[in-house]
């Protein structure tokens, strides 16, 4: 990020300094994503420890003042507020199982955050991110694009990583999206995958097709199960969501018009409305903007609509 984009006016606040919040702060710090960082958590002792730990590395990263408080007022004047607070996902638990308590948190917290930072863009990272984002959007009266979820940005990175690994290429050569729910009903858009400009179905190594149906199905399943595997092994996912969220922050502060599969309230694309889910979306300084309507296969479209139905059912069950 350029020096001008690191100006102190580009304040980023992080709400919730558990494993995910701390990873986001660290990623923003080492990438130079923000002009300054303000951290909020109700656990004052842990918060102070995290602020000290991050500040002690100041010599080795781009200049970025860091402070923290157990008073939500520390977030005042932010350009971006990232919400990670809430109950975390445990082994064997789906993201949708977390919904009740985290929805209530989002409904109470979002108006407070906007009271302190009325012009801020709010990014929800708390799971189940689609349901929590919908609750946050409906709790206030501002343009919906200013509140959105991290969605399937990380899932899409996992997808590209697995494809690149199988293709024996750098991940930068792979383009493709996971869409729909950030969860079990997500859809892998294989029909849009490009590997060095070659569609996945035509990609070959030594004349042999690499991405046959069985391989595609396995990769799609591995993306869905990635978080469960990490949670089983170390208790929580944190590092990659930290990096992917920092990337979203940079798209906003840099007004980059970057296409990212973030979770927004849908308004008719593919016949889907009044539900939060992820589709390729243009992210700018104004937040989440235009949703791009890709040409999907019949099975992908059916899967996306089924994912939307799953999320809408969850919303309804929570009275949203």
């Amino acid at each position: 990020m350029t020096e001008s984009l690191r100006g102190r006016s580009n304040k980023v606040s992080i709400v919730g300094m558990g494993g995910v919040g701390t990873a986001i702060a660290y990623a923003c710090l080492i990438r130079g994503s923000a002009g300054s960082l303000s951290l909020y958590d109700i656990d004052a002792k842990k918060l102070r420890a995290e602020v000290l730990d991050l500040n002690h590395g100041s010599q080795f990263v781009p200049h970025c003042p860091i402070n923290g408080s157990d008073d939500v007022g520390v977030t005042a004047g932010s350009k971006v507020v990232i919400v990670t607070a809430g109950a975390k996902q445990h082994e064997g638990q789906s993201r949708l199982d977390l919904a009740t308590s985290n929805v209530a948190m989002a409904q109470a917290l979002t108006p407070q955050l906007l009271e302190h930072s009325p012009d801020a863009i709010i990014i929800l990272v708390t799971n189940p991110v689609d349901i929590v984002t919908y609750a946050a959007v409906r709790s206030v009266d501002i343009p919906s694009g200013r509140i959105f979820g991290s969605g399937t940005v990380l899932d899409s990175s996992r997808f590209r990583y697995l494809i690149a690994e199988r293709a024996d290429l750098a991940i930068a050569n792979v383009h493709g999206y996971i869409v729909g729910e950030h969860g079990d009903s997500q859809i892998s858009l294989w029909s849009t995958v490009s590997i060095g400009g070659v569609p996945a179905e035509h990609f070959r190594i030594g004349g042999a097709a690499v991405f046959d149906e069985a391989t595609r199905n396995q990769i799609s399943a591995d993306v869905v199960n990635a978080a469960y595997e990490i949670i089983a092994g170390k208790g929580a996912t944190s590092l990659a969501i930290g990096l992917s969220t920092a990337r979203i922050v940079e798209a906003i502060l840099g007004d980059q018009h970057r296409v990212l599969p973030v979770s927004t309230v849908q308004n008719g694309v593919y016949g889907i409305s009044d539900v939060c889910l992820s589709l390729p979306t243009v992210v700018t300084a104004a937040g989440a903007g235009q949703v791009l309507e890709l040409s999907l296969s019949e099975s992908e479209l059916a899967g996306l609509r089924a994912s939307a139905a799953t999320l809408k059912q969850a919303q309804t069950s929570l009275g949203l």
Side-chain angles (χ1 to χ4, degrees), residues 10-316:
N10 281 333
K11 175 178 176 177
V12 174
S13 290
I14 302 173
V15 176
M17 289 304 293
V20 171
T22 302
I24 293 171
Y26 184 60
C28 286
L29 188 63
I30 62 175
R31 286 177 61 90
S33 305
S36 64
L37 287 170
S38 289
L39 314 179
Y40 166 64
D41 196 285
I42 58 175
D43 186 340
K45 185 176 180 180
K46 183 179 189 303
L47 177 69
R48 174 164 169 75
E50 297 293 5
V51 171
L52 283 172
D53 202 10
L54 290 165
N55 272 317
H56 290 167
S58 298
Q59 175 186 345
F60 312 110
V61 297
H63 178 66
C64 181
I66 306 167
N67 68 348
S69 174
D70 58 353
D71 182 340
V72 72
V74 75
T75 65
S78 298
K79 283 199 172 179
V80 177
V81 180
I82 303 161
V83 178
T84 75
K88 72 175 184 177
Q89 185 178 0
H90 296 290
E91 185 174 357
Q93 187 179 40
S94 77
R95 294 181 179 96
L96 289 179
D97 291 336
L98 299 172
T100 303
S101 61
N102 289 349
V103 159
M105 176 277 301
Q107 290 171 323
L109 185 61
T110 304
Q112 295 179 51
L113 295 173
L114 287 171
E115 182 180 347
H116 290 288
S117 301
D119 299 319
I121 305 299
I122 297 180
I123 306 171
L124 280 300
V125 183
T126 301
N127 277 320
V129 69
D130 304 292
I131 305 298
V132 171
T133 300
Y134 186 86
V137 170
R138 293 300 183 229
S139 71
V140 292
D141 185 20
I142 66 170
S144 62
R146 283 184 48 206
I147 302 176
F148 62 90
S150 54
T152 57
V153 174
L154 174 54
D155 305 274
S156 295
S157 179
R158 291 166 172 158
F159 187 46
R160 295 179 189 191
Y161 162 74
L162 291 169
I163 293 170
E165 188 177 46
R166 199 66 69 100
D168 195 24
L169 291 173
I171 194 170
N173 296 308
V174 177
H175 297 277
Y177 295 109
I178 300 291
V179 298
E181 178 197 358
H182 173 56
D184 295 348
S185 71
Q186 65 185 224
I187 304 302
S188 306
L189 296 188
W190 280 103
S191 68
T192 68
V193 169
S194 168
I195 306 165
V198 179
E201 62 182 298
H202 298 309
F203 186 83
R204 284 168 166 71
I205 295 178
V210 176
F211 298 99
D212 57 19
E213 184 177 2
T215 300
R216 294 196 303 270
N217 289 341
Q218 184 61 58
I219 288 174
S220 296
D222 287 346
V223 174
V224 171
N225 293 321
Y228 297 120
E229 182 178 358
I230 293 168
I231 290 167
K234 71 172 200 173
T237 62
S238 58
L239 300 179
I241 188 61
L243 289 165
S244 62
T245 303
R247 188 66 193 83
I248 298 170
V249 168
E250 292 160 19
I252 296 167
L253 296 183
D255 194 25
Q256 292 179 348
H257 293 247
R258 175 78 59 169
V259 178
L260 297 168
V262 295
S263 181
T264 62
V265 177
Q266 298 303 323
N267 295 300
V269 176
Y270 303 113
I272 297 169
S273 296
D274 198 36
V275 65
C276 265
L277 53 72
S278 294
L279 288 168
T281 304
V282 181
V283 178
T284 70
Q290 179 186 3
V291 176
L292 304 185
E293 193 163 354
L294 308 178
S295 295
L296 307 184
S297 69
E298 288 186 11
S299 63
E300 289 169 346
L301 180 57
L304 178 61
R305 288 174 173 163
S307 186
T310 296
L311 289 165
K312 189 163 284 192
Q313 184 178 19
Q315 289 175 188
T316 301

